[in-house]
Amino acid sequence: MRMKKGYKALVDEAMAQVTTYSVEQARAKLGDPDVCFVDVRDVRELEREGVIPGAVHAPRGMLEFWVDPESPYHRPVFAEDKEFILFCAAGWRSALATKTLQDMGLPRVAHIEGGFSAWKSAGAPVADKPKK
């Protein structure tokens, strides 16, 4: 089967329309009270690879529902006046997610180039996933 538009085209389109921070640019914002890092990876990835300290976990499959104040699944953190910096493992899911949140009207949203893998490789802060 030939796809009308494959994932590469979708990711490329998103990348052309969203703000992408380098690891260095994102790292400079870590700890800023006006910035919220959002981890869109699967929970198993967090357990296996670790997390960015202080990041909010919002699985990619629930993100739109958690962001929309009309949704029964809305999470108040997404109603805060902050810049949201998304990341996944490599930057593909977070590019798509950033584009979606931008389309939904979230005013300040960006993602990290290369995702958590690039973050970790650069020696940026990583912690174990907090236990419940």
Side-chain angles (χ1 to χ4, degrees), residues 6-22:
Y7 81 91
K8 288 180 184 175
L10 290 171
V11 170
D12 288 346
E13 284 176 12
M15 292 285 210
Q17 297 177 49
V18 301
T19 300
T20 302
Y21 289 136
S22 67

Side-chain angles (χ1 to χ4, degrees), residues 61-122:
M62 291 301 295
L63 191 61
E64 294 87 345
F65 303 100
W66 287 13
V67 169
D68 187 345
E70 304 287 317
S71 165
Y73 302 104
H74 176 69
R75 297 286 169 101
V77 66
F78 292 106
E80 294 177 13
D81 182 22
K82 293 183 183 273
E83 177 180 29
F84 295 93
I85 302 176
L86 282 60
F87 64 95
C88 62
W92 297 353
R93 287 172 288 177
S94 61
L96 296 173
T98 300
K99 170 77 169 68
T100 298
L101 296 189
Q102 189 173 288
D103 290 349
M104 289 176 75
L106 208 60
R108 296 184 297 148
V109 61
H111 83 119
I112 302 173
E113 181 179 23
F116 186 76
S117 299
W119 178 273
K120 200 171 185 178
S121 293

